[in-house]
């Protein structure tokens, strides 16, 4: 796979920023809103945004089951912030009945770092690759992980888990797409090339 | 950790421009709905709103009832914050920096320094750089948008004419802003000095916008959006998301209309979806033609 085609789920959120970061990382990026478009991509990014809105739209426009099926089939997926919530097998502080795509054996607490006045940026070490500027916006954290999950980054306050990987699935609490540093997206594109 | 691991500083910083503007990026492609109580906020969240705007009276009622309109009661804002898990915004009067301080202390996620409320200062807007909480401001043209950004606004919405259900001013303001952006990005560099003078905005910001062809913050639309087709049209005209004020809770079936506007915003370029969600919504808000409102009573004229 010389240049992988990676879809960005375009139901709601900061789609354009992920498209730009993926292209900078050497992938071909396309937007995906329908099951037919999902079939054409090698991998998927679930962007930042409002997870309850994405869930409702994914149900209404019949995307929940097709994405779950592709995940079960081994498609690589990366989710940032709301995208991390969408990849969690279990969520805390979700809206009543809130569903996710799932795939990563973890419990994610929604809005765990607090409201917008608590949103912050900080340097952290991502996957042993050195300092990375991370932007956290009403961000979730990972409360607990199962044994197949590898922890890639932690952040203050509280040394919380903020980046994880389980096989072809990657998730971050923070928004690398907002900083102009394509490090996390390059890491994901490498993952896609491996799978 | 091995000694070869690069040093990582642990200092977390809140309230940076990136954090404030980034919050608005997360709202893109979504609908922000005016609500006046916790029950309406729940309906908005269930319909798929990306955020709610807490205010005491929707613009249609402010217009009908007159009087001075102000920031909402903190108890009412607390009730809405308690009721929903999505972001909660609230309005402060133009220039009323203490209302903004109060809203920040309540923990609202975004402040709308809004022409819908009665202005508190007819010369100065709030110095928004002094706050950790981000601000959204209205604009009718590019110069106004750039002045608000200079004062620290982290998000802009075209003003339209709130409380009317008449989308025509929203269209005018969005077309004006987008048209002025196109014109600016076509100018040679030596004409940007005069452009900055004409826009009444700082040269550095004007030059940045001329280079990138877009505002440095997210641009939503507001003021008069009442139907799924209104929302879809504003998105096609270049809005990155939609504020709906009176249009939902002044209509016959708020829950269904709210969900329909959310869907039409996401699939704004797909007429089949817009047609499907437009069926059977019941009565839209009654509406007032902007032309029938005397100019001094038009809310979009507030702000300078």
């Amino acid at each position: 796979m010389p240049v992988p085609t990676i879809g960005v789920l375009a139901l709601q959120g900061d789609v354009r920023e992920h498209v730009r970061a993926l292209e900078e990382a050497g992938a071909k990026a396309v937007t995906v809103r329908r099951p037919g478009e999902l079939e054409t991509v090698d991998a998927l990014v679930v962007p930042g945004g409002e997870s309850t809105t994405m869930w409702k739209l994914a149900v209404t426009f019949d995307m929940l089951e097709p994405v779950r099926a592709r995940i079960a089939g081994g498609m690589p997926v990366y989710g940032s912030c709301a995208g991390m919530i969408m990849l969690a097998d279990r969520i805390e502080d979700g809206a009543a009945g809130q569903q996710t795509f799932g795939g990563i054996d973890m419990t994610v607490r929604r809005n765990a770092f607090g409201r917008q006045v608590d949103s912050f940026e900080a340097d952290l070490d991502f996957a042993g690759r050195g300092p990375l500027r991370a932007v956290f916006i009403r961000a979730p954290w990972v409360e607990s992980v199962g044994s197949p999950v590898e922890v890639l980054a932690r952040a203050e306050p509280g040394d919380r888990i903020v980046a994880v990987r389980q096989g072809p699935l990657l998730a971050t609490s923070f928004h690398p797409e907002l900083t102009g540093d394509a490090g996390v997206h390059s890491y994901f594109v490498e993952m896609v090339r491996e799978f | 950790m091995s000694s070869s691991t690069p040093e990582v500083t642990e200092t977390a910083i809140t309230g940076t421009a990136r954090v404030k503007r980034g919050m608005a990026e997360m709202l893109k492609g979504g609908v922000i709905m005016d609500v006046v109580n916790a029950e309406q906020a729940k309906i908005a969240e269930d319909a798929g709103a990306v955020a709610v705007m807490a205010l005491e009276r929707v613009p249609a009622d402010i217009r009908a009832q007159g009087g001075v309109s102000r920031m909402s009661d903190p108890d009412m804002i607390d009730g809405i914050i308690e009721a929903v898990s999505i972001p909660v915004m609230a309005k402060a009067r133009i220039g009323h920096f203490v209302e903004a301080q109060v809203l920040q202390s309540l923990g609202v996620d975004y402040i709308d320094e809004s022409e819908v409320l009665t202005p508190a200062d007819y010369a100065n807007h709030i110095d928004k750089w002094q706050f950790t909480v981000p601000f959204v401001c209205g604009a009718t043209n590019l110069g106004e948008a750039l002045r608000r950004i200079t004062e620290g606004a982290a998000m802009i919405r075209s003003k339209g004419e709130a409380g009317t259900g008449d989308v025509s001013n929203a269209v005018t303001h969005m077309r004006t802003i987008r048209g002025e952006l196109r014109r600016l990005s076509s100018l040679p560099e030596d004409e940007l000095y005069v452009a900055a003078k004409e826009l009444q905005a700082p040269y550095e910001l004007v030059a940045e916008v001329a280079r990138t062809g877009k505002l440095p913050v997210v641009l939503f639309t507001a003021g008069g959006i009442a139907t799924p087709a209104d929302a879809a049209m504003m998105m096609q005209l270049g809005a990155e998301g939609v504020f709906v004020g009176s249009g939902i809770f002044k209509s016959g079936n708020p829950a269904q209309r709210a969900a329909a506007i959310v869907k039409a915003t996401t699939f704004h370029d797909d007429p089949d979806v817009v047609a499907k969600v437009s069926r059977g919504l019941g009565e839209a808000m009654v509406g007032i033609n902007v032309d029938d409102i005397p100019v001094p009573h038009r809310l979009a004229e507030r702000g300078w």
Side-chain angles (χ1 to χ4, degrees):
Chain A
M1 203 188 302
V3 178
T5 300
I6 302 181
V8 180
L9 188 67
L11 295 173
Q12 190 272 317
D14 66 337
V15 175
R16 193 174 52 219
E17 287 64 31
H18 276 288
V19 167
R20 197 185 49 218
L22 286 168
E23 285 176 345
E24 204 174 309
K28 179 182 179 230
V30 298
T31 58
V32 168
R33 287 183 303 183
R34 297 180 181 287
E37 293 161 348
L38 182 64
E39 286 166 20
T40 67
V41 299
D42 302 311
L44 186 69
V45 169
V46 185
E50 175 47 51
S51 63
T52 56
T53 303
M54 282 185 208
W55 154 51
K56 305 257 178 200
L57 288 167
V59 170
T60 305
F61 293 100
D62 299 323
M63 285 297 281
L64 202 58
E65 289 307 327
V67 172
R68 284 175 175 169
R70 286 294 308 268
I71 289 173
M75 173 179 70
V77 186
Y78 165 48
S80 70
C81 196
M84 169 185 258
I85 294 169
M86 292 301 291
L87 289 177
D89 281 349
R90 297 168 299 278
I91 48 178
E92 297 277 353
D93 293 341
Q98 185 172 349
Q99 294 170 283
T100 66
F101 298 131
I104 300 182
D105 180 7
M106 62 178 172
T107 302
V108 169
R109 183 173 296 279
R110 203 165 147 244
N111 303 333
F113 283 105
R115 304 193 67 84
Q116 173 60 16
V117 288
D118 308 307
S119 293
F120 65 99
E121 49 181 284
D123 288 334
L124 53 77
D125 179 32
F126 174 76
R129 294 181 164 205
L132 175 104
R133 195 68 177 166
V135 179
F136 293 84
I137 295 174
R138 283 174 56 96
W141 69 46
V142 180
E143 197 85 20
S144 62
V145 295
S147 53
V149 178
E150 182 188 354
V151 173
L152 297 182
R154 292 175 179 268
E156 290 294 333
D159 203 30
R160 296 290 176 176
I161 301 170
V162 294
V164 295
R165 175 176 177 179
Q166 179 180 340
L169 305 177
L170 175 71
T172 63
S173 301
F174 53 90
H175 295 280
E177 73 277 13
L178 291 183
T179 58
D181 177 341
V184 175
H185 290 81
S186 298
Y187 180 91
F188 181 59
V189 172
E190 284 168 35
M191 277 173 56
V192 175
R193 288 198 161 109
E194 285 167 22
F195 275 88
Chain B
M1 294 233 170
S2 76
S3 57
S4 66
T5 306
E7 220 173 54
V8 174
T9 58
E10 297 279 9
T11 44
I13 314 170
T14 59
T16 63
R18 194 146 62 183
V19 163
K20 292 174 171 179
R21 293 175 180 185
M23 172 74 209
E25 302 284 352
M26 300 311 141
L27 303 171
K28 282 192 302 192
V31 181
I32 299 165
M33 302 181 190
D34 277 5
V35 298
V36 301
N37 55 45
E39 187 193 5
Q40 290 185 355
K42 282 299 295 175
I43 292 171
E45 182 178 48
D46 289 345
V50 288
V52 291
M53 175 74 70
L55 73 175
E56 213 145 54
R57 296 179 285 173
V58 294
D61 289 335
I62 290 172
R63 194 177 280 294
Q65 295 159 7
V68 173
S69 43
R70 312 178 176 91
M71 176 189 79
S72 301
D73 183 327
D75 278 344
M76 178 274 231
I77 294 170
D78 277 348
I80 289 170
I81 288 175
E82 282 298 305
V84 295
S85 65
I86 57 177
V88 176
M89 301 183 167
K91 288 185 194 287
R93 284 181 266 177
I94 290 172
H96 206 314
F97 53 88
V98 173
E99 284 189 349
Q101 291 166 2
V102 170
L103 292 173
Q104 175 166 286
S105 113
L106 293 176
V108 305
D109 296 297
Y110 237 95
I111 294 176
D112 185 0
E113 186 182 18
S114 177
E115 70 283 0
V116 168
L117 305 185
T118 309
D121 187 330
Y122 282 88
N124 303 288
H125 283 249
I126 297 170
D127 176 2
K128 294 166 273 288
W129 297 113
Q130 303 306 318
F131 290 80
T132 307
V133 66
F135 283 74
V136 55
C137 289
T140 58
N141 57 50
L142 181 59
E144 200 176 357
L146 297 181
R147 288 193 291 280
R148 296 295 86 78
I149 293 166
T150 305
E151 297 156 0
M155 179 181 189
I156 294 292
R157 55 175 172 77
S158 58
K159 280 182 179 171
E161 187 58 31
T164 61
D166 180 347
V167 77
S168 62
N169 276 23
V171 169
T172 304
H173 299 157
M174 185 58 65
R175 282 196 186 275
T176 301
I177 292 169
R178 302 268 298 170
E180 289 176 316
L181 281 169
R182 281 193 298 274
R183 176 177 175 274
L184 194 60
S185 57
S186 72
L187 290 181
E189 276 185 33
D190 63 351
E191 292 181 16
L192 292 178
Y193 302 99
V194 170
K197 185 191 79 178
E198 288 169 354
L199 288 165
Q200 299 176 51
Y203 168 77
E204 288 71 23
L205 182 57
V206 169
E208 180 195 339
V209 169
R211 193 173 63 246
T212 61
K214 64 184 286 294
L215 294 179
V217 303
V218 166
L219 174 62
F220 268 47
T221 184
I225 290 112
T227 69
D230 288 348
M233 175 170 68
M234 295 312 300
M235 293 295 288
Q236 287 195 30
L237 286 172
E240 296 180 285
V242 180
F243 284 88
V244 185
S246 320
I248 290 171
F249 289 101
K250 284 286 160 189
S251 75
N253 187 343
Q256 196 186 346
R257 182 168 295 268
I261 291 176
V262 168
K263 292 168 198 168
T265 299
T266 294
F267 285 88
H268 56 87
D269 54 353
D270 186 333
D272 292 343
V273 172
V274 179
K276 188 175 165 204
V277 303
S278 298
R279 290 175 197 277
L281 291 182
E283 286 291 308
M285 69 178 283
V286 174
I288 312 166
N289 290 330
V290 175
D291 274 350
D292 295 340
I293 302 171
V295 171
H297 293 181
R298 292 186 192 170
L299 304 175
E301 307 290 323
R302 297 169 169 176
W304 21 90

